[in-house]
Amino acid sequence: MKDQDKKTPLYQEHKALHAKMLSFAGWQMPLQYTSVKEEHLTVRNKAGIFDVSHMGQFFIYGKEALLFLQKLVPQDLTLLEEGKAVYSMLVNEQGGIIDDLIIYRLPDQNKTFKFLLIVNASRIENDLNRLLNKKNNYDLIIDNESDKLSMIALQGPRSSEILEALGLIQENQPGKFKVKDINLLNMDIIIARTGYTGEDGFELIVKNENAVKLWKKLLEKGENFGLKPIGYAARDTLRLEASLLLYGQDMDEKTTPVEASLNWTISKNKKENFSGKDIIFNQLLNKNINKKLIGFKMLDQSVPRHDYEIYIENQTAGHVTSGGFSPCGNIGVGLGYIDTQKPFTEGTKIDIMIRGKFHPAEIIKRPFYSKN
Amino acid sequence: MTVDMSNILCTKSHEYLVEKDDILTIGITDFAVEQLGDIVFVELPEVGAAFEKGEVFGTIESVKAASELYLPVSGKIVEINENTQLKPEIINEDCFGEGWLVKVAEYNSEDYIEAMHYDQYKDFLELEEEEEE
């Protein structure tokens, strides 16, 4: 354990549940409580809760908040209605991804704009610097609440029933990719129907002082539904099966959304200028890129891991950025970048170099797991 | 399969050895298995391969990560457990029995003079844990 690591308000709860802890992005987070596979399947079949309090929350509000954010992301935020959320990314002048994030447009009685940005823990400082550097004279306030707020993700097919057992009836729950302010069990909660597992589920944001109460209530009421606490090892296998990218591994400042195969996050008709727009649109329209993110599965029982090399017909063709064993598919799967001089369509046979030997794999459609 | 634990010797690096008729059966201990979690793939050497003590002779992949296997003696591989190739989970279920890994011949028993009986190994694990805390 690293002494300088921060602890979330739920740290003692994890210890009491005998979690193995890990150092992650400068935080002590639970790696696993029981077994990765069991925790993984619990989320797929029932429900699980995750402590994601290390993540960053920025509130941006004011008359020009929309105008400001429009300059920083490839998504057209004028299309984002009140009470809705969108997956997007902060991009730099070269179109490189500074961070991936979810932008929530919160309900606002003052009829101005109020956005919540949920960002990666490891990128809080970079993101904040980016926002402050671009703020100029825009009429808005940037409020970094990351250290004051905790976040618990409730994920899995039984999540909605569990919230109902807590007193939030289904018709008062936000719909998919929507967000609400609620009061539940005397706590003010921002609740969104978003997540990082490929399952239906919610993310609940509360003040730090309410985190333990919410965590315990969820575990208590969720028990009848098979709810369990889930650690970071299973969080990683879940997001990998759902082909959700991990910042710092599957993308970075030298990767554009087009290279990361995130074309769907780019609004092709966006009129306003935004950082890196020319480069991103040129890549998008002319398919003018040197590398591209693909998904693959192993054709034997081996397991691909981060940084392994990809070969096509005995020639080096790229590298694995995320890899692991898919508990649902019972096979090794991975994400990686292929040199676009090489074939990279679905069905292409590739080899992964594992401990000095070629292991056969095939490029396949993503996601590797879909609940339908 | 029931295992007579009194014949099992464990190393500080969490392999075990059982000697019978000049053949050593080698696997990983229950503690190692618990640390690894769900095992999904095992890479074992070719029969006939020779290794020095402490050399990597294979790899175990769990859902979590890849871990290398170190041979606790110098010797020659005379048999590998083929069942682990199709059903790696038998290592999780029965590491001292069905889940053994390799059999080794032409070894020198002085190589594992420091290996512990299972109850000593348990004491050793407890000491390790205390030191960590």
Side-chain angles (χ1 to χ4, degrees):
Chain A
M1 161 168 176
K2 295 185 189 161
D3 290 338
Q4 67 273 25
D5 273 355
K6 293 202 236 177
K7 292 174 184 155
T8 77
L10 295 170
Y11 179 78
Q12 290 305 330
E13 301 306 307
H14 305 317
K15 287 300 235 187
L17 290 162
H18 306 292
K20 275 184 209 164
M21 304 300 286
L22 104 142
S23 180
F24 180 85
W27 292 81
Q28 277 291 304
M29 301 307 285
L31 175 66
Q32 71 179 83
Y33 300 87
T34 54
S35 119
V36 185
K37 197 167 169 182
E38 186 187 313
E39 290 174 25
H40 182 105
L41 296 174
T42 297
V43 174
R44 290 278 179 253
N45 300 321
K46 293 166 187 161
I49 46 172
F50 304 74
D51 179 7
V52 283
S53 301
H54 61 315
M55 294 191 81
Q57 290 89 11
F58 304 144
F59 291 87
I60 300 179
Y61 46 95
K63 269 191 301 206
E64 294 184 317
L66 174 67
L67 216 58
F68 169 67
L69 282 176
Q70 275 287 73
K71 301 281 185 202
L72 304 179
V73 302
Q75 204 109 30
D76 187 355
L77 298 178
T78 61
L79 305 173
L80 183 64
E81 293 164 28
E82 237 181 67
K84 285 200 173 174
V86 69
Y87 175 73
S88 191
M89 46 221 49
L90 290 174
V91 280
N92 61 29
E93 314 312 323
Q94 290 74 43
I97 302 169
I98 298 169
D99 198 6
D100 68 329
L101 73 173
I102 296 186
I103 301 175
Y104 301 81
R105 186 168 162 202
L106 298 174
D108 182 31
Q109 285 145 356
N110 301 328
K111 294 290 159 209
T112 54
F113 290 101
K114 188 172 178 187
F115 293 97
L116 164 62
L117 276 51
I118 298 192
V119 306
N120 286 299
S122 60
R123 302 299 289 173
I124 291 174
E125 269 180 51
N126 300 63
D127 295 349
L128 196 59
N129 286 340
R130 176 70 178 170
L131 295 173
L132 294 174
N133 282 340
K134 290 283 172 179
K135 187 178 173 291
N136 299 328
N137 298 318
Y138 284 110
D139 183 5
L140 56 88
I141 293 168
I142 299 170
D143 191 3
N144 174 12
E145 298 267 312
S146 306
D147 284 339
K148 297 176 197 152
L149 298 175
S150 292
M151 189 154 104
I152 297 171
L154 166 66
Q155 302 276 300
R158 310 214 66 180
S159 299
S160 175
E161 291 167 84
I162 292 167
L163 283 182
E164 193 152 63
L166 243 71
L168 186 68
I169 58 166
Q170 300 207 358
E171 63 189 37
N172 287 338
Q173 296 170 7
K176 199 170 161 31
F177 260 80
K178 289 190 177 169
V179 59
K180 270 185 147 178
D181 290 307
I182 59 163
N183 188 283
L184 186 65
L185 309 163
N186 286 322
M187 294 180 281
D188 288 324
I189 302 177
I190 298 175
I191 179 171
R193 202 158 193 155
T194 48
Y196 194 49
T197 59
E199 292 297 330
D200 184 24
F202 301 85
E203 291 177 297
L204 300 112
I205 299 167
V206 291
K207 290 202 180 97
N208 283 343
E209 51 267 36
N210 285 328
V212 171
K213 180 179 167 187
L214 178 62
W215 177 263
K216 284 188 163 165
K217 276 285 170 195
L218 281 164
L219 280 179
E220 179 196 320
K221 297 286 181 186
E223 202 183 350
N224 290 337
F225 301 90
L227 177 81
K228 290 200 172 131
I230 312 296
Y232 271 71
R235 184 171 162 82
D236 196 51
T237 54
L238 287 159
R239 70 95 192 166
L240 178 61
E241 270 185 355
S243 283
L244 298 167
L245 276 54
L246 174 61
Y247 192 86
Q249 213 167 283
D250 302 311
M251 56 186 152
D252 54 27
E253 292 203 20
K254 293 194 174 103
T255 311
T256 69
V258 184
E259 291 168 330
S261 296
L262 292 167
N263 297 8
W264 58 277
T265 68
I266 303 161
S267 300
K268 292 165 196 69
N269 300 319
K270 182 166 175 175
K271 294 199 176 57
E272 288 92 337
N273 210 3
F274 63 88
S275 304
K277 185 180 183 183
D278 290 346
I279 293 170
I280 290 174
F281 272 41
N282 177 36
Q283 290 186 343
L284 189 66
L285 302 174
N286 303 320
K287 305 213 174 347
N288 185 16
I289 48 173
N290 295 323
K291 60 176 181 180
K292 184 159 180 66
L293 181 126
I294 52 100
F296 65 89
K297 70 167 183 192
M298 300 309 299
L299 298 176
D300 65 11
Q301 281 300 305
S302 63
V303 184
R305 305 281 181 191
H306 175 65
D307 263 356
Y308 287 179
E309 282 184 66
I310 300 174
Y311 284 76
I312 295 179
E313 289 174 352
N314 296 324
Q315 287 187 317
T316 171
H319 65 281
V320 177
T321 50
S322 283
F325 182 79
S326 157
C328 292
N330 225 11
I331 194 91
V333 295
L335 300 172
Y337 282 87
I338 295 258
D339 174 353
T340 52
Q341 302 297 313
K342 302 269 191 259
F344 56 86
T345 52
E346 285 160 27
T348 302
K349 296 282 191 286
I350 60 176
D351 288 299
I352 310 296
M353 180 71 90
I354 304 179
R355 294 180 287 274
K357 280 187 209 149
F358 283 150
H359 287 263
E362 180 185 335
I363 296 178
I364 57 166
K365 194 168 151 46
R366 290 168 299 123
F368 309 122
Y369 166 87
S370 156
K371 62 174 175 276
N372 305 316
Chain B
M1 178 152 73
T2 46
V3 184
D4 181 0
M5 295 305 287
S6 66
N7 293 332
I8 283 179
L9 294 171
C10 302
T11 68
K12 287 183 179 174
S13 48
H14 314 296
E15 297 92 17
Y16 72 80
L17 329 92
V18 184
E19 185 166 30
K20 197 188 171 194
D21 303 332
D22 292 329
I23 300 287
L24 275 181
T25 301
I26 290 172
I28 57 171
T29 66
D30 48 353
F31 174 80
V33 167
E34 197 197 308
Q35 294 297 307
L36 289 169
D38 311 285
I39 294 168
V40 297
F41 177 62
V42 190
E43 201 169 270
L44 294 176
E46 303 278 329
V47 169
F51 292 91
E52 294 292 320
K53 178 180 175 174
E55 235 186 307
V56 174
F57 73 95
T59 310
I60 285 197
E61 292 271 7
S62 67
V63 174
K64 246 184 287 174
S67 312
E68 292 183 323
L69 294 164
Y70 300 96
L71 206 66
V73 293
S74 300
K76 193 170 136 188
I77 308 291
V78 289
E79 192 180 341
I80 63 165
N81 185 354
E82 295 286 352
N83 290 333
T84 61
Q85 301 303 292
L86 288 172
K87 289 175 67 188
E89 63 273 18
I90 59 175
I91 303 167
N92 287 105
E93 289 157 8
D94 186 15
C95 63
F96 293 116
E98 301 280 338
W100 61 276
L101 298 174
V102 292
K103 294 193 179 184
V104 175
E106 296 172 29
Y107 56 90
N108 181 345
S109 44
E110 277 179 20
D111 273 356
Y112 57 93
I113 203 153
E114 286 181 353
M116 299 163 270
H117 284 287
Y118 188 67
D119 45 356
Q120 288 174 299
Y121 173 68
K122 283 284 179 194
D123 293 342
F124 158 77
L125 291 178
E126 262 175 45
L127 274 174
E128 287 257 293
E129 202 169 312
E130 277 167 29
E131 269 171 35
E132 215 170 87
E133 281 168 13

